[in-house]
Amino acid sequence: VRSALMIQRAWRNEKFRYLAVGAYNTLFGYGLFALLWTVWGHTLHYVWILCISHILSVTNAYFGYKIFVFHTSTGGWKAFLKFNTVYIGAFLFNLLALPLLVDGLELHPLLAQMMIVGTTVVTSFLMHKNYSISN
């Protein structure tokens, strides 16, 4: 009972919800990249796998932040596109960093992607909070 109350109290805190949903999104995004790499890595270049996983992961993140973190019902395609602008910088960084780590340092794509994931947590929180989702 006490732990349930603590979780309930923590869930009321927007930053806690952001961290919880962000952790889920991070696992989802990396897990999806790993799954696609496992299925298509022998036939599809890792940059294409990154592009596919990015689109699906950002869509998943949009609904997670919209519903669970910022509790907003406004939206539509315009809000979704606005939300995506937050991730453009992270995606471009990923597009540059992944080949540098894989081709330049000869790291395995899954290890390289794991190193890149999560580098924009604070920045994306502030961008979502103040720009893309907040009412």
Side-chain angles (χ1 to χ4, degrees):
V1 174
R2 187 170 173 91
S3 61
L5 288 173
M6 288 175 56
I7 292 170
Q8 229 176 17
R9 190 174 300 132
W11 193 252
R12 286 187 211 125
N13 182 295
E14 181 180 74
K15 289 180 177 127
F16 176 83
R17 290 191 314 268
Y18 179 82
L19 288 173
V21 173
Y24 161 76
N25 287 332
T26 300
L27 291 173
F28 179 87
Y30 180 77
L32 183 60
F33 181 85
L35 174 68
L36 294 175
W37 171 259
T38 301
V39 173
W40 290 330
H42 59 284
T43 58
L44 194 60
H45 193 272
Y46 61 84
V47 170
W48 286 111
I49 292 171
L50 175 65
C51 292
I52 294 166
S53 66
H54 172 78
I55 292 166
L56 296 173
S57 296
V58 169
T59 302
N60 177 71
Y62 173 73
F63 289 107
Y65 290 134
K66 181 179 174 65
I67 295 166
F68 297 110
V69 178
F70 300 113
H71 303 294
T72 181
S73 59
T74 60
W77 282 105
K78 185 177 178 182
F80 181 68
L81 292 173
K82 187 177 177 182
F83 177 85
N84 275 284
T85 62
V86 171
Y87 285 107
I88 288 173
F91 181 62
L92 292 174
F93 171 76
N94 206 337
L95 278 175
L96 294 172
L98 192 59
L100 286 174
L101 293 173
V102 173
D103 298 331
L105 297 180
E106 298 181 0
L107 296 177
H108 190 278
L110 294 180
L111 176 61
Q113 185 62 18
M114 185 182 292
M115 293 170 64
I116 295 167
V117 167
T119 59
T120 58
V121 172
V122 173
T123 303
S124 66
F125 170 77
L126 293 172
M127 292 294 292
H128 290 312
K129 170 83 175 140
N130 298 308
Y131 172 69
S132 71
I133 289 187
S134 197
N135 288 328

